[in-house]
Amino acid sequence: MKPLANSNSRAVGVFAALGGGAALIPSLIPKTSSDLTIPGFELLVAVPVMFWGLFIGVLFAPTAAARLGTNLVTKAAGLLAACGLAFAGFGVSSNSFLLGAAVFGLGFGLLEVIITAATRHKHHDSARELTRLNAAFAIAAVTAPLLLAAELAISGTILIAGLVGSMVLLSSWGLGSLELSQVSGPGRARNRLSPLLLGAAFLYVGAESLLAGWGPTFLNTAEGVSVDGAPLGSTLFWGLLAIGRLVSLRVTPNYLSTKLALVLWPAVASASLVAASLLPSGYAVLGYAVASLAAGPIYGILIGQALRRVPGEKVSKATRNLILLGAAGGFAIPGIVQLAPSIDAALLAAALGMALVSGAAALARDSKQLEVIA
């Protein structure tokens, strides 16, 4: 077993690499579709495919870790994520790109559950450590598309996919054995979660995946940005999402109740997305940007609000159920949009999802337990 500090830094490295990979998948779509001379909309199915892989990884992570050991599973998951990025970045067909997205998502899901559960096990108050992990994820998700855009502008290559894949592999193989809290099986924790907030998790992650997945295509198709510059759509989304989270840490505790924040932020995001669908080219990006900023605080507040009513011994199982519902929304909602893909359809579907999140939060009953700001 490695020293705790070293293990924590390795986990931060894993989450950073996963953030870079998650942002690269949609960022590669304009360039890949151009190289393969196929419509960009055809490859946008990679976003729900990635979330499908994530869903499967989350679902089977506890069982795999219990039967095979966390050391073997984390190494296998890192290898899967690295191979997925290689397939997506260096594939020669749309099928290899989609396969890469699914395999990356599978490795992502396995690693997310195991590292999150281990962090909760090691730290009585895990909020600070989990915040570090998610901050590393967001920073890398901002940086990777920037590096991709720079590489495309300079050399036209996409070696960044191999670099990020190598980072996932090396950091996951350096984790060693992680001790897990009990996260297997749905248990009775699910019954203690508000059905409305479970539905909100499904809707929010679905809407967020639309915003993240369509960002590069939105800039390329609706705003006329070149294929080389299109990855900046991912940087725009993740950068504003991270800023929204940081602003919320200051604004929500001081000026808004948790419930009001969970009603207000998705309502703002929904209105901004409707505006983006109506505004002419050149201005629509402003609505998209405001929606990305407003989306930032929602997930952390939603998870904290949902887990308020869950007893301490059931938190791990409840957390896994929330992640599962979110992952299901991440592939189901973009998958529905993909049946008749268009910029307006994606924006309006995300707007509807955000509006329903706001409504679910308004109708959900408050717990008498202490509020948690995640």
Side-chain angles (χ1 to χ4, degrees):
M1 189 76 175
K2 290 177 169 52
L4 183 59
N6 188 36
S7 179
N8 288 343
S9 65
R10 298 278 187 174
V12 169
V14 173
F15 264 64
L18 292 175
L24 279 177
I25 295 294
S27 297
L28 288 167
I29 289 175
K31 172 65 174 174
T32 304
S33 62
S34 177
D35 290 346
L36 298 177
T37 62
I38 58 176
F41 289 162
E42 182 176 323
L43 290 183
L44 276 164
V45 74
V47 177
V49 164
M50 180 176 69
F51 273 93
W52 173 249
L54 175 68
F55 178 86
I56 297 299
V58 170
L59 184 64
F60 289 103
T63 301
R67 294 186 178 181
L68 303 175
T70 57
N71 191 26
L72 178 59
V73 175
T74 53
K75 287 183 177 181
L79 182 60
L80 285 169
C83 289
L85 286 173
F87 290 151
F90 308 113
V92 295
S93 68
S94 59
N95 287 336
S96 66
F97 187 86
L98 298 180
L99 175 63
V103 172
F104 171 77
L106 178 60
F108 185 168
L110 290 167
L111 286 168
E112 182 183 13
V113 169
I114 291 173
I115 293 174
T116 299
T119 301
R120 288 183 174 274
H121 183 88
K122 290 177 181 177
H123 301 274
H124 177 68
D125 181 5
S126 61
R128 182 178 297 273
E129 291 302 318
L130 290 174
T131 299
R132 287 180 63 209
L133 295 177
N134 285 300
F137 185 99
I139 291 169
V142 171
T143 305
L146 277 175
L147 295 176
L148 174 61
E151 184 182 1
L152 289 174
I154 294 170
S155 64
T157 60
I158 46 177
L159 298 178
I160 182 66
L163 176 61
V164 174
S166 298
M167 288 174 58
V168 178
L169 185 63
L170 292 174
S171 56
S172 62
W173 281 49
L175 280 171
S177 296
L178 299 175
E179 193 170 357
L180 293 182
S181 55
Q182 295 300 313
V183 295
S184 59
R188 284 184 277 182
R190 187 166 186 172
N191 295 332
R192 296 178 181 272
L193 290 168
S194 165
L196 285 170
L197 294 183
L198 279 170
F202 176 91
L203 292 164
Y204 170 76
V205 177
E208 184 193 78
S209 67
L210 281 173
L211 292 178
W214 280 74
T217 301
F218 176 72
L219 287 191
N220 177 234
T221 303
E223 300 298 319
V225 176
S226 69
V227 168
D228 291 351
L232 296 178
S234 286
T235 294
L236 175 67
F237 171 76
W238 287 107
L240 289 171
L241 193 84
I243 292 171
R245 288 174 179 169
L246 294 174
V247 169
S248 177
L249 289 175
R250 294 281 186 179
V251 172
T252 301
N254 295 326
Y255 302 103
L256 299 173
S257 70
T258 303
K259 183 168 184 175
L260 178 58
L262 195 52
V263 173
L264 176 63
W265 293 121
V268 171
S270 179
S272 300
L273 290 167
V274 171
S277 70
L278 298 175
L279 290 170
S281 177
Y283 296 96
V285 70
L286 294 176
Y288 176 84
V290 173
S292 300
L293 185 71
I298 298 171
Y299 191 64
I301 297 174
L302 175 60
I303 296 299
Q305 185 82 335
L307 294 177
R308 282 168 55 192
R309 65 187 68 231
V310 178
E313 68 274 12
K314 299 291 187 180
V315 165
S316 291
K317 293 178 180 178
T319 301
R320 192 190 75 152
N321 290 337
L322 282 167
I323 294 174
L324 278 174
L325 262 293
F331 68 76
I333 293 177
I336 292 171
V337 172
Q338 198 63 29
L339 296 176
S342 71
I343 296 294
D344 286 343
L347 292 175
L348 292 175
L352 178 59
M354 291 292 188
L356 292 174
V357 169
S358 181
L363 294 174
R365 295 180 59 185
D366 280 331
S367 169
K368 295 182 180 179
Q369 296 182 29
L370 185 65
E371 289 189 355
V372 177
I373 304 295

